[in-house]
Amino acid sequence: MKKVVLGAVTAAAVVAAALVPSGPAVQAATEAAAASSPPGFGSALSSVQQSSWQTNASVNAVAVAGNLVFAGGLFTRVRPPGKARGVGDAARKYFAVFDRTTGVPTRFAPKVNGPVWSVATSPDGRRVVIGGDFTVVDGVPRSRVAMFDVGTGKLVAGWDPVVNYRVAALKVTGSTVYLGGSFGSVDKIARSRVAAVGLSTGAVLPWNPGANDDVHAIEVSADGARVFVGGGFTRIAGRDQHALAMLNSTTGALLSMPAAAAIPPRSEECDSRVKDLEVQGDKVFASNAGTNSMTCYDGVLAANATTGKLLWQSKCLGATEAIKAIGNWLYKGSHAHDCSADGAFPDKTGMHHLLVYSTITGKLGPWFPNTKAGGTTLVGPLAFASGGNDLWAGGDFTTVNGVPQEGLTRFTDVPGGAAPARPAAPKVASARANKVTVAFPTVLDRDNITLTYLLYRGSTRIGSWSRTSYSWTKPTVTSVTDSGLTSGRTVSYHVEVSDGRNVRRSPAVSVRVR
């Protein structure tokens, strides 16, 4: 029991429930990375969703260029926030473009005749490429891949590679468009599940590593020298390599990537596939989804983007479909249900569809919004995109933070963040002469794990404490003894909780001093 003397007041802080073992480590990582975060919340972004239109079915892919957000998926209509299906909606079949500031759809509305599974923009923001199952766009033949001029919203004439099956992954550089998916040829030239075409011409390039199973994600190193490929393959570029590969961007040759060994090999019990990749500076991040077993690897890893060496790994269970790095934070969309391997929440504490890690340490950070999965899967979020100070999330969810919102949502760095939950009235008792014991539990905040608790007697503040809390642990109870009071006097107490910007006040409760 730690005693603190505050003038005439002696406070005894009693921890009623221990924090998870990694709590201090998580807090330390949070505080280190939060140095670059806006005031009012610990992560780079607020956990409070901002207004945006929504869809009537899953969003599979999102991308950003300037003030435009491009979304592709299985949807056929979009509607305003807060509206039910069919109310105030507009036709947007498989592909829609939104204003990044307002979340409202723009007039850029191509007609696509099949689902879109991938979207990517060029580094200069002048081109957007979509991939999927379609064969016609705006009445013109386009076989599973198409390019638009962002300024005009029109198809780029003459850019028309013919891909024979689904394009599920795209990456655009200053000269090249990389394709990944389930296809076997491009322009009738053999290309097994991964290929490259020219950005300006669409012509098939010699780069031809070939993979023996589907490719779900493609990224390129910051210097353009290496291409990262993720999927379900066990062989690529003529060599054995499972799920994650680093390739020479000129020759397609397989390069050493020791971090790939952190993904378990394919077996009857576990088939873990890389579903998303993200490059930030000298780091590359890979997220996985496992099948065939509830304990199959579903985690996230970070590797050096030059050497391929493993930097850190999270082994949370629950398929991770999307990741995005913003500042010192890596946001992930998943249906995480057991992060006990990381010292965080155990199984059967609910689904955590949106989480964040420190890009430096891999420790779980202070960002806990949530979605409710919809459709036929348990995943919820499926795709992320960012303009640097926001996060657009697409998926098959139907609510965000308990509010109806289907398919698409966004989070920004708007000041303030989520407010702490309102604290309950403290429990008070006067069992000894001239003393009152006051006890109050911690509360939760969706984007802060450490809050400040202020205890008042009337309008007089008698103590301040910093407490850390998680949704998957029992609340910590602080017990305070207020001494030197006048016998027979009636006094009232209340608690105020602050995250540095938002303050929530409990109801007051009175007690007669013995």
Side-chain angles (χ1 to χ4, degrees), residues 37-384:
S37 300
F41 41 93
S43 162
L45 302 178
S46 166
S47 67
V48 179
Q49 71 274 24
Q50 300 300 304
S51 175
S52 71
W53 276 49
Q54 53 187 322
T55 61
N56 67 344
S58 175
V59 171
N60 300 328
V62 284
V64 170
N67 199 45
L68 296 178
V69 177
F70 305 91
L74 308 181
F75 57 86
T76 57
R77 304 190 73 81
V78 297
R79 65 186 188 277
K83 300 296 184 182
R85 285 189 181 187
V87 179
D89 63 354
R92 291 292 190 278
K93 200 169 185 180
Y94 306 123
F95 185 56
V97 184
F98 301 86
D99 184 290
R100 186 173 150 233
T101 303
T102 64
V104 174
T106 70
R107 294 183 179 180
F108 187 167
K111 293 179 172 58
V112 183
N113 77 335
V116 172
W117 291 94
S118 51
V119 182
T121 55
S122 60
D124 61 10
R126 296 177 56 196
R127 297 285 189 263
V128 59
V129 183
I130 63 172
D133 298 331
F134 53 85
T135 55
V136 176
V137 178
D138 285 342
V140 179
R142 284 294 186 272
S143 185
R144 283 107 187 171
V145 65
M147 179 185 288
F148 299 93
D149 182 299
V150 170
T152 66
K154 302 296 184 182
L155 277 172
V156 174
W159 198 93
D160 56 356
V162 176
V163 185
N164 75 331
Y165 207 68
R166 177 179 297 171
V167 174
L170 289 164
K171 178 64 181 181
V172 184
T173 70
S175 61
T176 304
V177 179
Y178 292 94
L179 316 175
S182 310
F183 53 83
S185 69
V186 180
D187 285 346
K188 297 184 179 180
I189 300 171
R191 288 293 185 270
S192 182
R193 301 178 177 88
V194 63
V197 300
L199 175 64
S200 59
T201 66
V204 181
L205 300 178
W207 193 79
N208 181 27
N212 70 342
D213 204 339
D214 290 354
V215 168
H216 303 302
I218 301 180
E219 263 292 351
V220 176
S221 62
D223 63 4
R226 293 164 299 284
V227 178
F228 301 97
V229 178
F233 50 84
T234 57
R235 191 169 177 82
I236 190 168
R239 294 170 60 184
D240 292 339
Q241 183 81 6
H242 176 231
L244 177 62
M246 181 165 66
L247 307 171
N248 184 292
S249 63
T250 302
T251 66
L254 185 67
L255 303 175
S256 174
M257 191 168 193
I263 300 170
R266 183 187 290 182
S267 67
E268 291 185 4
E269 293 74 29
C270 178
D271 180 6
S272 183
R273 299 172 173 239
V274 170
K275 299 305 290 290
D276 201 7
L277 293 166
E278 172 78 348
V279 168
Q280 183 190 54
D282 62 355
K283 295 185 179 73
V284 57
F285 305 93
S287 67
N288 277 58
T291 60
N292 303 341
S293 169
M294 289 294 288
T295 58
C296 187
Y297 176 67
D298 291 318
V300 177
L301 63 79
N304 183 285
T306 301
T307 66
K309 291 183 178 179
L310 184 69
L311 300 175
W312 56 258
Q313 184 178 28
S314 163
K315 296 183 178 180
C316 285
L317 295 175
T320 304
E321 298 283 344
I323 50 175
K324 190 68 186 175
I326 304 173
N328 288 326
W329 299 104
L330 182 71
Y331 294 82
K332 85 163 186 173
S334 70
H335 61 91
H337 59 88
D338 185 352
C339 285
S340 55
D342 292 353
F345 53 86
D347 201 5
K348 299 181 181 178
T349 58
M351 294 287 184
H352 300 261
H353 293 283
L354 293 166
L355 293 169
V356 71
Y357 295 99
S358 164
T359 58
I360 301 166
T361 66
K363 299 297 183 181
L364 206 59
W367 193 71
F368 301 103
N370 214 347
T371 67
K372 180 179 179 181
T376 59
T377 75
L378 294 173
V379 176
L382 293 169
F384 285 165

Side-chain angles (χ1 to χ4, degrees), residues 434-451:
N434 309 114
K435 297 180 180 181
V436 171
T437 299
V438 185
F440 55 89
T442 53
V443 299
L444 298 175
D445 185 318
R446 287 200 310 268
D447 43 32
N448 288 279
I449 57 175
T450 302
L451 302 171

Side-chain angles (χ1 to χ4, degrees), residues 19-31 468 470:
L19 295 177
V20 291
S22 67
V26 172
Q27 185 175 351
T30 296
E31 291 171 351
T468 299
Y470 301 88

